[in-house]
Short mmCIF file of all heavy atoms in Angstrom, two decimals:
data_model
loop_
_atom_site.label_atom_id
_atom_site.label_comp_id
_atom_site.label_asym_id
_atom_site.label_seq_id
_atom_site.Cartn_x
_atom_site.Cartn_y
_atom_site.Cartn_z
N THR S 20 7.43 0.00 2.85
CA THR S 20 6.87 -0.98 3.77
C THR S 20 6.30 -0.32 4.96
O THR S 20 6.82 0.64 5.48
CB THR S 20 7.96 -2.06 4.13
OG1 THR S 20 7.27 -3.04 4.94
CG2 THR S 20 9.05 -1.41 4.86
N ASN S 21 5.09 -0.85 5.37
CA ASN S 21 4.47 -0.36 6.57
C ASN S 21 4.31 -1.50 7.49
O ASN S 21 4.04 -2.61 7.03
CB ASN S 21 3.15 0.32 6.34
CG ASN S 21 3.21 1.77 6.03
OD1 ASN S 21 4.32 2.25 5.62
ND2 ASN S 21 2.16 2.41 6.04
N PRO S 22 4.52 -1.43 8.93
CA PRO S 22 4.76 -0.20 9.64
C PRO S 22 6.18 0.39 9.31
O PRO S 22 7.06 -0.40 8.85
CB PRO S 22 4.77 -0.57 11.14
CG PRO S 22 4.00 -1.92 11.13
CD PRO S 22 4.32 -2.48 9.78
N THR S 23 6.24 1.78 9.38
CA THR S 23 7.50 2.40 8.93
C THR S 23 8.03 3.14 10.11
O THR S 23 7.74 3.03 11.22
CB THR S 23 7.23 3.26 7.62
OG1 THR S 23 8.50 3.69 7.21
CG2 THR S 23 6.29 4.26 7.94
N PHE S 24 8.88 4.11 9.76
CA PHE S 24 9.46 5.03 10.80
C PHE S 24 9.96 6.30 10.25
O PHE S 24 10.06 6.40 9.02
CB PHE S 24 10.67 4.29 11.52
CG PHE S 24 11.99 4.28 10.62
CD1 PHE S 24 12.92 5.08 10.70
CD2 PHE S 24 12.03 3.22 9.60
CE1 PHE S 24 14.14 5.06 9.87
CE2 PHE S 24 13.08 3.25 8.72
CZ PHE S 24 14.19 4.20 8.91
N ASP S 25 10.01 7.33 11.10
CA ASP S 25 10.51 8.69 10.67
C ASP S 25 12.00 8.61 11.01
O ASP S 25 12.39 8.65 12.26
CB ASP S 25 9.74 9.65 11.42
CG ASP S 25 10.26 11.15 10.97
OD1 ASP S 25 11.22 11.24 10.25
OD2 ASP S 25 9.51 12.11 11.39
N PRO S 26 12.95 8.73 10.08
CA PRO S 26 14.32 8.73 10.37
C PRO S 26 14.76 9.89 11.12
O PRO S 26 15.84 9.98 11.76
CB PRO S 26 14.99 8.68 8.99
CG PRO S 26 13.99 9.15 8.01
CD PRO S 26 12.64 8.74 8.59
N ASN S 27 14.00 11.05 11.22
CA ASN S 27 14.32 12.14 12.11
C ASN S 27 14.22 11.76 13.53
O ASN S 27 14.72 12.50 14.32
CB ASN S 27 13.38 13.34 11.78
CG ASN S 27 13.58 13.96 10.42
OD1 ASN S 27 14.69 14.33 10.00
ND2 ASN S 27 12.51 13.97 9.57
N ASN S 28 13.35 10.68 13.82
CA ASN S 28 13.14 10.28 15.20
C ASN S 28 13.12 8.87 15.37
O ASN S 28 12.30 8.27 15.98
CB ASN S 28 11.66 10.97 15.61
CG ASN S 28 11.44 10.91 17.05
OD1 ASN S 28 12.37 10.90 17.87
ND2 ASN S 28 10.20 10.72 17.40
N PHE S 29 14.22 8.28 14.81
CA PHE S 29 14.24 6.79 14.77
C PHE S 29 14.37 6.13 16.11
O PHE S 29 13.89 5.00 16.33
CB PHE S 29 15.44 6.37 13.80
CG PHE S 29 16.81 6.67 14.31
CD1 PHE S 29 17.40 5.80 15.27
CD2 PHE S 29 17.41 7.89 14.06
CE1 PHE S 29 18.69 6.18 15.82
CE2 PHE S 29 18.70 8.20 14.56
CZ PHE S 29 19.32 7.34 15.40
N ALA S 30 15.01 6.89 17.17
CA ALA S 30 15.15 6.34 18.35
C ALA S 30 13.90 5.95 19.13
O ALA S 30 13.93 5.14 20.02
CB ALA S 30 16.01 7.20 19.20
N ASN S 31 12.79 6.67 18.70
CA ASN S 31 11.50 6.46 19.42
C ASN S 31 10.70 5.57 18.60
O ASN S 31 9.54 5.50 18.81
CB ASN S 31 10.76 7.84 19.59
CG ASN S 31 11.55 8.74 20.62
OD1 ASN S 31 12.13 8.18 21.50
ND2 ASN S 31 11.59 10.00 20.41
N THR S 32 11.24 4.78 17.68
CA THR S 32 10.46 3.76 16.89
C THR S 32 11.02 2.39 17.19
O THR S 32 12.19 2.25 17.29
CB THR S 32 10.61 4.09 15.34
OG1 THR S 32 10.29 5.48 15.15
CG2 THR S 32 9.79 3.19 14.49
N PRO S 33 10.18 1.42 17.27
CA PRO S 33 10.58 0.06 17.55
C PRO S 33 11.58 -0.34 16.43
O PRO S 33 11.33 -0.13 15.24
CB PRO S 33 9.28 -0.78 17.40
CG PRO S 33 8.28 0.09 17.85
CD PRO S 33 8.71 1.43 17.38
N PRO S 34 12.78 -0.99 16.72
CA PRO S 34 13.76 -1.36 15.77
C PRO S 34 13.23 -2.15 14.56
O PRO S 34 13.78 -2.10 13.53
CB PRO S 34 14.83 -2.10 16.55
CG PRO S 34 14.71 -1.47 17.92
CD PRO S 34 13.23 -1.24 18.14
N GLU S 35 12.18 -3.04 14.92
CA GLU S 35 11.66 -3.87 13.83
C GLU S 35 11.09 -3.04 12.77
O GLU S 35 10.95 -3.61 11.66
CB GLU S 35 10.63 -4.86 14.33
CG GLU S 35 9.45 -4.28 15.14
CD GLU S 35 9.75 -4.25 16.61
OE1 GLU S 35 10.85 -4.15 17.07
OE2 GLU S 35 8.63 -4.18 17.36
N ASN S 36 10.68 -1.86 13.03
CA ASN S 36 10.11 -0.94 12.03
C ASN S 36 11.09 -0.33 11.07
O ASN S 36 10.83 0.26 10.00
CB ASN S 36 9.18 0.17 12.58
CG ASN S 36 7.96 -0.34 13.25
OD1 ASN S 36 7.70 -1.49 13.27
ND2 ASN S 36 7.17 0.56 13.69
N TRP S 37 12.48 -0.39 11.50
CA TRP S 37 13.50 0.10 10.55
C TRP S 37 13.82 -0.81 9.41
O TRP S 37 14.39 -0.48 8.48
CB TRP S 37 14.84 0.21 11.41
CG TRP S 37 14.77 1.05 12.57
CD1 TRP S 37 13.76 1.98 12.98
CD2 TRP S 37 15.72 1.08 13.69
NE1 TRP S 37 14.02 2.61 14.21
CE2 TRP S 37 15.25 2.02 14.70
CE3 TRP S 37 16.86 0.40 14.02
CZ2 TRP S 37 15.90 2.28 15.83
CZ3 TRP S 37 17.60 0.69 15.05
CH2 TRP S 37 17.14 1.63 16.08
N THR S 38 13.30 -2.15 9.58
CA THR S 38 13.48 -3.10 8.56
C THR S 38 12.84 -2.87 7.19
O THR S 38 11.72 -2.37 7.09
CB THR S 38 12.97 -4.52 9.02
OG1 THR S 38 13.57 -4.85 10.33
CG2 THR S 38 13.35 -5.58 8.05
N ASN S 39 13.61 -2.95 6.14
CA ASN S 39 13.08 -2.90 4.78
C ASN S 39 12.65 -4.24 4.38
O ASN S 39 13.40 -5.12 3.88
CB ASN S 39 14.12 -2.33 3.83
CG ASN S 39 13.61 -2.11 2.49
OD1 ASN S 39 12.56 -2.56 2.06
ND2 ASN S 39 14.28 -1.21 1.70
N ARG S 40 11.34 -4.56 4.65
CA ARG S 40 10.83 -5.93 4.34
C ARG S 40 10.86 -6.22 2.80
O ARG S 40 10.82 -7.38 2.44
CB ARG S 40 9.36 -6.08 4.81
CG ARG S 40 9.26 -5.89 6.26
CD ARG S 40 7.81 -5.81 6.86
NE ARG S 40 7.78 -5.35 8.17
CZ ARG S 40 7.73 -4.09 8.52
NH1 ARG S 40 7.69 -3.09 7.67
NH2 ARG S 40 7.65 -3.69 9.79
N ALA S 41 10.93 -5.20 1.92
CA ALA S 41 10.98 -5.45 0.46
C ALA S 41 12.24 -6.22 0.11
O ALA S 41 12.15 -6.98 -0.85
CB ALA S 41 11.02 -4.21 -0.23
N ILE S 42 13.26 -6.17 0.94
CA ILE S 42 14.50 -6.96 0.66
C ILE S 42 14.86 -7.92 1.63
O ILE S 42 15.81 -8.76 1.50
CB ILE S 42 15.66 -5.93 0.47
CG1 ILE S 42 15.94 -5.23 1.72
CG2 ILE S 42 15.39 -4.90 -0.62
CD1 ILE S 42 17.35 -4.49 1.74
N SER S 43 14.18 -8.03 2.85
CA SER S 43 14.51 -8.83 3.89
C SER S 43 13.45 -9.86 4.32
O SER S 43 13.80 -10.72 5.12
CB SER S 43 15.03 -8.03 5.12
OG SER S 43 13.92 -7.22 5.60
N MET S 44 12.17 -9.74 3.87
CA MET S 44 11.22 -10.53 4.35
C MET S 44 11.21 -11.92 3.69
O MET S 44 10.98 -11.99 2.40
CB MET S 44 9.83 -9.88 4.07
CG MET S 44 8.60 -10.69 4.32
SD MET S 44 7.07 -9.75 3.82
CE MET S 44 5.86 -11.03 4.15
N ASN S 45 11.36 -12.91 4.32
CA ASN S 45 11.37 -14.25 3.70
C ASN S 45 9.91 -14.83 3.91
O ASN S 45 9.42 -14.92 5.04
CB ASN S 45 12.35 -15.26 4.45
CG ASN S 45 13.82 -14.87 4.20
OD1 ASN S 45 14.10 -14.64 3.00
ND2 ASN S 45 14.58 -14.75 5.19
N TYR S 46 9.34 -15.20 2.83
CA TYR S 46 7.89 -15.67 2.90
C TYR S 46 7.69 -16.70 1.73
O TYR S 46 8.32 -16.61 0.69
CB TYR S 46 6.92 -14.56 2.81
CG TYR S 46 6.78 -13.90 1.43
CD1 TYR S 46 5.71 -14.02 0.72
CD2 TYR S 46 7.77 -13.12 0.90
CE1 TYR S 46 5.41 -13.47 -0.52
CE2 TYR S 46 7.62 -12.47 -0.37
CZ TYR S 46 6.49 -12.77 -1.05
OH TYR S 46 6.37 -12.10 -2.29
N GLU S 47 6.59 -17.57 1.92
CA GLU S 47 6.19 -18.35 0.77
C GLU S 47 5.35 -17.63 -0.14
O GLU S 47 4.31 -17.08 0.24
CB GLU S 47 5.43 -19.57 1.37
CG GLU S 47 6.39 -20.44 2.18
CD GLU S 47 5.65 -21.85 2.57
OE1 GLU S 47 4.69 -22.14 1.99
OE2 GLU S 47 6.12 -22.47 3.52
N PRO S 48 5.71 -17.52 -1.37
CA PRO S 48 4.94 -16.55 -2.27
C PRO S 48 3.60 -16.97 -2.73
O PRO S 48 2.76 -16.22 -3.21
CB PRO S 48 5.96 -16.44 -3.46
CG PRO S 48 6.58 -17.83 -3.50
CD PRO S 48 6.80 -18.25 -2.11
N GLY S 49 3.30 -18.26 -2.57
CA GLY S 49 1.94 -18.68 -3.03
C GLY S 49 1.91 -18.70 -4.57
O GLY S 49 2.86 -18.82 -5.30
N SER S 50 0.72 -18.43 -5.06
CA SER S 50 0.44 -18.45 -6.51
C SER S 50 1.10 -17.59 -7.34
O SER S 50 1.17 -17.70 -8.64
CB SER S 50 -1.11 -18.49 -6.75
OG SER S 50 -1.76 -19.56 -6.15
N THR S 51 1.74 -16.50 -6.80
CA THR S 51 2.47 -15.61 -7.66
C THR S 51 3.74 -16.28 -8.25
O THR S 51 4.22 -15.97 -9.34
CB THR S 51 2.92 -14.39 -6.89
OG1 THR S 51 3.59 -14.74 -5.73
CG2 THR S 51 1.76 -13.43 -6.51
N PHE S 52 4.07 -17.34 -7.59
CA PHE S 52 5.31 -18.13 -8.11
C PHE S 52 4.92 -18.97 -9.21
O PHE S 52 5.84 -19.50 -9.99
CB PHE S 52 5.86 -19.02 -6.86
CG PHE S 52 7.17 -19.66 -7.22
CD1 PHE S 52 8.28 -18.93 -7.02
CD2 PHE S 52 7.24 -20.95 -7.67
CE1 PHE S 52 9.57 -19.40 -7.36
CE2 PHE S 52 8.50 -21.48 -7.98
CZ PHE S 52 9.61 -20.75 -7.78
N LYS S 53 3.70 -19.18 -9.57
CA LYS S 53 3.33 -20.03 -10.58
C LYS S 53 3.65 -19.50 -11.95
O LYS S 53 3.85 -20.21 -12.96
CB LYS S 53 1.68 -20.14 -10.68
CG LYS S 53 1.06 -20.99 -9.50
CD LYS S 53 -0.33 -20.96 -9.37
CE LYS S 53 -0.84 -21.76 -8.27
NZ LYS S 53 -2.32 -21.84 -7.98
N VAL S 54 3.92 -18.22 -12.05
CA VAL S 54 4.53 -17.50 -13.27
C VAL S 54 5.88 -18.10 -13.54
O VAL S 54 6.29 -18.33 -14.63
CB VAL S 54 4.53 -16.06 -12.99
CG1 VAL S 54 5.35 -15.37 -14.19
CG2 VAL S 54 3.18 -15.41 -12.97
#
């Protein structure tokens, strides 16, 4: 997921960029849900 972060330098990255949106992003899927 992007924006992302470099774990070697995580302290200088906004905490929201640490989030793995692939498992935590809640969203309405739209037409992909038609399947």
Side-chain angles (χ1 to χ4, degrees):
T20 181
N21 276 14
T23 186
F24 71 102
D25 183 350
N27 292 304
N28 195 25
F29 67 87
N31 293 326
T32 305
E35 57 267 26
N36 288 3
W37 304 345
T38 303
N39 187 339
R40 299 174 192 86
I42 65 171
S43 64
M44 174 185 176
N45 292 311
Y46 74 108
E47 293 186 19
S50 295
T51 52
F52 191 81
K53 292 173 180 175
V54 172

